[in-house]
Amino acid sequence: MTDAAIRSYRPSDHAAARELWVELVSEHQSLYGSSTGSGSGSADPGAAFEEYLTRLDLSGLWVADSPAAGVVGMVGLIMSGRIGEVYPVVVAAAHRRQGVGRALLDHVAGQARRRSLSRLTINPESRNLSALRALHAAGYDVLTAVELSMELRPGSSDSPAEVDLMGLRFRS
């Protein structure tokens, strides 16, 4: 179990949180072998973190603060009416599988309950099997939407996994 405490984001966390954002973008790029993901379209993927902080629908941002390592994870809550979206949730690679992500997810769910939200959603990357398993274990077990895409570039159909959904086969 983690020794990291979950607390509200502070301006002094900016550099560490921006670094976590860059790590998240890098992971998305490695999953898809391209520049997809949050803020990856620019030469500085961390620049999207600056934009994220200015969102008017950002209701809260929390960090996992380890006594030994400092900020090792973060989670945000975006609100739209009575529905909350968890975005982002990221844990530094060196601190994964230690309960940090689960602690962040539990915290944001508690915050959503305190705000009397009716639903909490999260949109993980379909190729991130470890994230999907962790989210399912944390209670995210209701499938509410499916986003499909069509690859338009030749040679971009390289896919590591296939998924059966309601009798249809999809590449991930």
Side-chain angles (χ1 to χ4, degrees), residues 2 4 6 19-21 23-24 27 64 71-75 88-105:
T2 182
I6 309 303
E19 201 172 297
L20 284 168
W21 188 280
E23 189 171 337
L24 179 66
E27 179 145 340
V71 173
V72 297
M74 76 175 164
V75 66
V89 60
V90 58
V91 176
H95 297 275
R96 292 183 189 151
R97 293 175 186 74
Q98 298 174 19
V100 175
R102 182 59 177 266
L104 288 164
L105 289 169

Short mmCIF file of all heavy atoms in Angstrom, two decimals, residues 2 4 6 19-21 23-24 27 64 71-75 88-105:
data_model
loop_
_atom_site.label_atom_id
_atom_site.label_comp_id
_atom_site.label_asym_id
_atom_site.label_seq_id
_atom_site.Cartn_x
_atom_site.Cartn_y
_atom_site.Cartn_z
N THR A 2 0.35 2.31 -0.52
CA THR A 2 1.10 3.54 -0.68
C THR A 2 1.22 4.33 0.63
O THR A 2 0.35 4.27 1.48
CB THR A 2 0.46 4.43 -1.75
OG1 THR A 2 1.25 5.60 -1.90
CG2 THR A 2 -0.95 4.85 -1.37
N ALA A 4 1.77 7.55 0.18
CA ALA A 4 1.49 8.88 -0.36
C ALA A 4 0.16 9.39 0.20
O ALA A 4 -0.83 8.67 0.26
CB ALA A 4 1.44 8.84 -1.88
N ILE A 6 -3.02 11.95 -0.22
CA ILE A 6 -3.75 12.65 -1.27
C ILE A 6 -4.15 14.02 -0.71
O ILE A 6 -4.74 14.10 0.36
CB ILE A 6 -5.00 11.87 -1.72
CG1 ILE A 6 -4.66 10.42 -2.04
CG2 ILE A 6 -5.67 12.57 -2.90
CD1 ILE A 6 -3.61 10.21 -3.10
N GLU A 19 5.33 17.52 -15.17
CA GLU A 19 6.15 16.36 -15.53
C GLU A 19 5.29 15.09 -15.63
O GLU A 19 5.47 14.27 -16.52
CB GLU A 19 7.25 16.17 -14.47
CG GLU A 19 8.43 15.39 -14.93
CD GLU A 19 9.54 15.43 -13.89
OE1 GLU A 19 10.06 16.53 -13.60
OE2 GLU A 19 9.87 14.35 -13.36
N LEU A 20 4.33 14.94 -14.71
CA LEU A 20 3.41 13.80 -14.77
C LEU A 20 2.57 13.87 -16.05
O LEU A 20 2.32 12.85 -16.69
CB LEU A 20 2.49 13.78 -13.55
CG LEU A 20 3.13 13.29 -12.26
CD1 LEU A 20 2.22 13.60 -11.07
CD2 LEU A 20 3.44 11.81 -12.33
N TRP A 21 2.13 15.07 -16.42
CA TRP A 21 1.35 15.25 -17.65
C TRP A 21 2.17 14.80 -18.86
O TRP A 21 1.67 14.09 -19.73
CB TRP A 21 0.94 16.71 -17.79
CG TRP A 21 0.00 16.97 -18.91
CD1 TRP A 21 0.31 17.10 -20.24
CD2 TRP A 21 -1.41 17.13 -18.83
NE1 TRP A 21 -0.80 17.34 -20.98
CE2 TRP A 21 -1.89 17.36 -20.14
CE3 TRP A 21 -2.31 17.12 -17.77
CZ2 TRP A 21 -3.24 17.58 -20.41
CZ3 TRP A 21 -3.66 17.34 -18.06
CH2 TRP A 21 -4.10 17.55 -19.36
N GLU A 23 4.59 12.68 -18.86
CA GLU A 23 4.69 11.22 -18.79
C GLU A 23 3.43 10.55 -19.35
O GLU A 23 3.50 9.55 -20.07
CB GLU A 23 4.95 10.79 -17.35
CG GLU A 23 5.28 9.33 -17.21
CD GLU A 23 5.75 8.95 -15.81
OE1 GLU A 23 6.23 9.82 -15.05
OE2 GLU A 23 5.62 7.76 -15.48
N LEU A 24 2.27 11.12 -19.04
CA LEU A 24 1.00 10.60 -19.55
C LEU A 24 0.95 10.69 -21.08
O LEU A 24 0.59 9.74 -21.77
CB LEU A 24 -0.16 11.37 -18.94
CG LEU A 24 -1.57 10.97 -19.38
CD1 LEU A 24 -1.90 9.56 -18.92
CD2 LEU A 24 -2.58 11.96 -18.83
N GLU A 27 3.22 8.13 -22.61
CA GLU A 27 2.65 6.78 -22.55
C GLU A 27 1.60 6.60 -23.65
O GLU A 27 1.56 5.56 -24.31
CB GLU A 27 2.03 6.52 -21.19
CG GLU A 27 1.42 5.14 -21.15
CD GLU A 27 1.55 4.47 -19.81
OE1 GLU A 27 2.40 4.87 -19.01
OE2 GLU A 27 0.79 3.53 -19.58
N ALA A 64 -0.92 12.97 -5.29
CA ALA A 64 -0.43 11.99 -4.33
C ALA A 64 0.97 12.44 -3.96
O ALA A 64 1.84 12.54 -4.81
CB ALA A 64 -0.41 10.60 -4.96
N VAL A 71 5.60 14.60 -5.19
CA VAL A 71 4.39 14.36 -5.97
C VAL A 71 4.63 13.21 -6.94
O VAL A 71 5.50 13.29 -7.80
CB VAL A 71 3.95 15.63 -6.72
CG1 VAL A 71 2.79 15.34 -7.66
CG2 VAL A 71 3.56 16.72 -5.72
N VAL A 72 3.85 12.13 -6.78
CA VAL A 72 4.02 10.93 -7.61
C VAL A 72 2.76 10.58 -8.41
O VAL A 72 2.76 9.61 -9.16
CB VAL A 72 4.45 9.71 -6.77
CG1 VAL A 72 5.82 9.97 -6.14
CG2 VAL A 72 3.41 9.36 -5.71
N GLY A 73 1.71 11.37 -8.27
CA GLY A 73 0.49 11.11 -9.03
C GLY A 73 -0.44 12.29 -8.92
O GLY A 73 -0.28 13.16 -8.06
N MET A 74 -1.41 12.32 -9.83
CA MET A 74 -2.43 13.37 -9.77
C MET A 74 -3.71 12.89 -10.42
O MET A 74 -3.70 11.98 -11.26
CB MET A 74 -1.95 14.68 -10.39
CG MET A 74 -1.92 14.73 -11.88
SD MET A 74 -1.47 16.41 -12.43
CE MET A 74 -1.07 16.02 -14.12
N VAL A 75 -4.79 13.52 -10.01
CA VAL A 75 -6.11 13.22 -10.56
C VAL A 75 -6.91 14.53 -10.58
O VAL A 75 -6.78 15.37 -9.68
CB VAL A 75 -6.84 12.14 -9.72
CG1 VAL A 75 -7.16 12.61 -8.32
CG2 VAL A 75 -8.08 11.64 -10.44
N PRO A 88 -7.03 14.35 -15.62
CA PRO A 88 -6.39 13.07 -15.92
C PRO A 88 -6.28 12.26 -14.64
O PRO A 88 -6.56 12.73 -13.55
CB PRO A 88 -5.00 13.49 -16.39
CG PRO A 88 -4.68 14.66 -15.50
CD PRO A 88 -6.00 15.38 -15.32
N VAL A 89 -5.85 11.04 -14.78
CA VAL A 89 -5.34 10.27 -13.65
C VAL A 89 -4.00 9.71 -14.14
O VAL A 89 -3.94 9.08 -15.18
CB VAL A 89 -6.30 9.17 -13.15
CG1 VAL A 89 -6.62 8.15 -14.20
CG2 VAL A 89 -5.77 8.53 -11.88
N VAL A 90 -2.97 10.01 -13.40
CA VAL A 90 -1.63 9.56 -13.81
C VAL A 90 -0.78 9.32 -12.56
O VAL A 90 -0.87 10.07 -11.58
CB VAL A 90 -0.96 10.59 -14.75
CG1 VAL A 90 -0.83 11.96 -14.12
CG2 VAL A 90 0.40 10.11 -15.23
N VAL A 91 -0.01 8.24 -12.62
CA VAL A 91 0.93 7.90 -11.55
C VAL A 91 2.29 7.73 -12.20
O VAL A 91 2.41 7.10 -13.25
CB VAL A 91 0.50 6.59 -10.83
CG1 VAL A 91 1.54 6.19 -9.79
CG2 VAL A 91 -0.88 6.75 -10.20
N ALA A 92 3.31 8.30 -11.59
CA ALA A 92 4.67 8.17 -12.11
C ALA A 92 5.01 6.68 -12.24
O ALA A 92 4.67 5.87 -11.37
CB ALA A 92 5.66 8.85 -11.18
N ALA A 93 5.67 6.32 -13.33
CA ALA A 93 5.96 4.92 -13.64
C ALA A 93 6.62 4.19 -12.47
O ALA A 93 6.29 3.04 -12.17
CB ALA A 93 6.83 4.83 -14.89
N ALA A 94 7.52 4.83 -11.77
CA ALA A 94 8.24 4.19 -10.67
C ALA A 94 7.35 3.92 -9.46
O ALA A 94 7.75 3.18 -8.56
CB ALA A 94 9.42 5.07 -10.24
N HIS A 95 6.14 4.47 -9.45
CA HIS A 95 5.26 4.32 -8.28
C HIS A 95 3.97 3.58 -8.60
O HIS A 95 3.06 3.55 -7.77
CB HIS A 95 4.97 5.69 -7.68
CG HIS A 95 6.22 6.35 -7.17
ND1 HIS A 95 6.73 6.11 -5.93
CD2 HIS A 95 7.08 7.18 -7.79
CE1 HIS A 95 7.86 6.79 -5.78
NE2 HIS A 95 8.10 7.44 -6.89
N ARG A 96 3.89 3.00 -9.78
CA ARG A 96 2.70 2.23 -10.15
C ARG A 96 2.69 0.90 -9.41
O ARG A 96 3.72 0.42 -8.95
CB ARG A 96 2.66 2.02 -11.66
CG ARG A 96 2.43 3.33 -12.38
CD ARG A 96 2.32 3.17 -13.87
NE ARG A 96 2.32 4.52 -14.46
CZ ARG A 96 2.77 4.80 -15.64
NH1 ARG A 96 3.25 3.85 -16.42
NH2 ARG A 96 2.73 6.04 -16.08
N ARG A 97 1.49 0.34 -9.32
CA ARG A 97 1.26 -0.95 -8.65
C ARG A 97 1.60 -0.91 -7.16
O ARG A 97 1.98 -1.91 -6.57
CB ARG A 97 2.01 -2.09 -9.36
CG ARG A 97 1.47 -2.36 -10.76
CD ARG A 97 2.29 -3.38 -11.50
NE ARG A 97 1.86 -3.54 -12.86
CZ ARG A 97 2.07 -2.68 -13.86
NH1 ARG A 97 2.72 -1.56 -13.63
NH2 ARG A 97 1.65 -2.92 -15.07
N GLN A 98 1.47 0.28 -6.58
CA GLN A 98 1.71 0.45 -5.14
C GLN A 98 0.48 1.03 -4.43
O GLN A 98 0.56 1.43 -3.28
CB GLN A 98 2.92 1.36 -4.92
CG GLN A 98 4.21 0.81 -5.49
CD GLN A 98 5.36 1.80 -5.37
OE1 GLN A 98 5.33 2.74 -4.59
NE2 GLN A 98 6.40 1.57 -6.17
N GLY A 99 -0.64 1.13 -5.16
CA GLY A 99 -1.87 1.65 -4.57
C GLY A 99 -2.07 3.14 -4.73
O GLY A 99 -3.07 3.68 -4.26
N VAL A 100 -1.15 3.84 -5.40
CA VAL A 100 -1.27 5.29 -5.57
C VAL A 100 -2.47 5.61 -6.45
O VAL A 100 -3.29 6.47 -6.11
CB VAL A 100 0.03 5.89 -6.17
CG1 VAL A 100 -0.15 7.37 -6.46
CG2 VAL A 100 1.20 5.66 -5.23
N GLY A 101 -2.59 4.93 -7.58
CA GLY A 101 -3.71 5.18 -8.48
C GLY A 101 -5.05 4.92 -7.81
O GLY A 101 -5.99 5.71 -7.95
N ARG A 102 -5.12 3.83 -7.08
CA ARG A 102 -6.37 3.49 -6.39
C ARG A 102 -6.72 4.55 -5.35
O ARG A 102 -7.87 4.95 -5.21
CB ARG A 102 -6.24 2.11 -5.75
CG ARG A 102 -7.50 1.63 -5.05
CD ARG A 102 -8.69 1.56 -6.03
NE ARG A 102 -9.86 1.06 -5.43
CZ ARG A 102 -10.23 -0.21 -5.46
NH1 ARG A 102 -9.51 -1.10 -6.09
NH2 ARG A 102 -11.34 -0.58 -4.88
N ALA A 103 -5.71 5.04 -4.63
CA ALA A 103 -5.95 6.09 -3.63
C ALA A 103 -6.46 7.36 -4.31
O ALA A 103 -7.38 8.02 -3.81
CB ALA A 103 -4.68 6.37 -2.84
N LEU A 104 -5.89 7.70 -5.45
CA LEU A 104 -6.36 8.88 -6.20
C LEU A 104 -7.79 8.69 -6.68
O LEU A 104 -8.62 9.59 -6.56
CB LEU A 104 -5.43 9.15 -7.39
CG LEU A 104 -4.05 9.71 -7.05
CD1 LEU A 104 -3.11 9.58 -8.25
CD2 LEU A 104 -4.15 11.17 -6.60
N LEU A 105 -8.09 7.51 -7.23
CA LEU A 105 -9.44 7.23 -7.72
C LEU A 105 -10.46 7.23 -6.59
O LEU A 105 -11.57 7.75 -6.74
CB LEU A 105 -9.47 5.90 -8.47
CG LEU A 105 -8.76 5.90 -9.81
CD1 LEU A 105 -8.61 4.47 -10.33
CD2 LEU A 105 -9.47 6.78 -10.82
#
